[in-house]
Amino acid sequence: MTHRCAVIGHPAAHSLSPALHRAAYATLGLSDWSYEAIDVEPGHLDEFWATLDSSWVGLSVTMPFKSEIIAHGSPEPLVTELNAANTIIFGSSGERPGPPESNRCYNTDVPGMTGALAHRGLTSATTAILVGAGATARSGLAALSRIGVNRVEVVARSAERAHASLDEVAARYGIDLDVTGWDRLGGLGTDRADLLLSTAPVEFTDAEAAQIVRCAPVVFDVFYEQYPSALSRAAASAGRVSVDGIDLLVFQGIGQVRLMTGRTPDPQPLLDACVAELARRRG
């Protein structure tokens, strides 16, 4: 019997997760596993849930369901702390997906961030600049705390929304938070922090990016839709360490593959597969 997995979200067709997971199955010799992208419109999660049968093992979950999915499984502590899950594994007893108490919700975004940073050589830091203040920024704070960061300067369009989103998480992890306006992003100065983490879905101009990357020796842009992004290109040109959205996708994906299959793939074939898939789409 085929073991079925998928990524759900809206939109979902653009996701590189199928390329990543299928590459993992190939390297692990798992010929009876399948993975697809399924677009589920907001308000239709329960309707999709009713279509699942015993062939399903688990799901990757992206926006807008990272909080809603928690009602369908028992959350690990990190999920509860961040109110965000990106993975659900179905229980093995009875017909999948089973009742919520038989399923388990996980967040692999946080270990994915620390894994991506470690892959590019950064395992510890004390200060960071965080661009953006949404759900991904909350995961970013948790990841930053794991590598020793205790002081974060947040650049956000709304200080009020930034405090509402991030203050509780920062306090939980012992991080001193300072919020500054978006208009200051290009003038933060040189080497102001150990790390710049951008969680805002913004495509900066080349000129803006060149100014922004000066503020830290390591630049991490979590989005891959414009890979390589302006921040990644500017970081490379300036001799900064660049960590990008493909890195994050692969290392959070390795966590998902481990949860779903019990096996851990090597990262390089997955990185290569994602870059090749992007090139195919553009070519």
Side-chain angles (χ1 to χ4, degrees):
M1 181 180 72
T2 298
H3 300 77
R4 298 183 68 186
C5 301
V7 57
I8 62 169
H10 182 73
H14 72 288
S15 175
L16 287 177
S17 289
L20 184 158
H21 284 258
R22 291 169 187 170
Y25 300 158
T27 63
L28 296 171
L30 300 175
S31 59
D32 57 346
W33 286 71
S34 71
Y35 192 100
E36 58 191 304
I38 301 176
D39 193 292
V40 179
E41 294 188 1
H44 292 270
L45 181 59
D46 290 342
E47 181 181 328
F48 165 75
W49 207 256
T51 69
L52 302 176
D53 60 26
S54 60
S55 65
W56 286 89
V57 175
L59 298 169
S60 307
V61 183
T62 187
M63 298 302 292
F65 299 116
K66 286 191 173 185
S67 295
E68 187 176 349
I69 199 69
I70 299 172
H72 293 272
S74 300
E76 65 167 339
L78 183 59
V79 168
T80 301
E81 291 170 7
L82 301 176
N83 190 34
N86 72 334
T87 312
I88 186 165
I89 305 299
F90 302 136
S92 57
S93 60
E95 289 294 312
R96 291 192 179 103
E101 60 269 19
S102 71
N103 308 320
R104 188 72 171 165
C105 293
Y106 298 91
N107 184 311
T108 69
D109 284 331
V110 173
M113 288 181 182
T114 58
L117 286 166
H119 183 68
R120 301 301 178 187
L122 184 70
T123 57
S124 65
T126 58
T127 61
I129 295 168
L130 178 63
V131 182
T136 305
R138 292 197 296 274
S139 292
L141 285 178
L144 291 171
S145 74
R146 291 187 174 194
I147 64 170
V149 171
N150 54 33
R151 184 159 50 88
V152 175
E153 184 171 8
V154 178
V155 181
R157 297 188 186 278
S158 167
E160 182 180 1
R161 288 196 297 270
H163 284 297
S165 175
L166 303 179
D167 279 0
E168 182 178 346
V169 176
R172 178 180 294 115
Y173 294 119
I175 293 175
D176 182 20
L177 210 64
D178 182 37
V179 178
T180 192
W182 192 266
D183 59 338
R184 293 197 59 201
L185 182 56
L188 292 174
T190 301
D191 293 335
R192 187 181 182 93
D194 299 325
L195 165 68
L196 169 76
L197 175 61
S198 178
T199 68
V202 176
E203 180 62 12
F204 297 102
T205 67
D206 290 341
E208 289 171 335
Q211 289 291 321
I212 294 167
V213 301
R214 293 169 49 199
C215 68
V218 179
V219 177
F220 189 174
D221 186 354
V222 304
F223 294 98
Y224 64 77
E225 284 77 9
Q226 301 296 327
Y227 175 89
S229 71
L231 285 180
S232 295
R233 295 193 305 270
S237 296
R240 306 287 182 167
V241 176
S242 175
V243 189
D244 58 46
I246 298 294
D247 295 321
L248 173 57
L249 177 71
V250 165
F251 281 91
Q252 66 80 31
I254 287 174
Q256 292 181 332
V257 172
R258 184 185 302 117
L259 290 167
M260 292 171 178
T261 71
R263 305 276 297 279
T264 302
D266 292 331
Q268 196 57 53
L270 311 189
L271 291 163
D272 294 342
C274 290
V275 172
E277 174 60 16
L278 275 179
R280 185 194 68 80
R281 294 180 185 182
R282 296 170 179 174

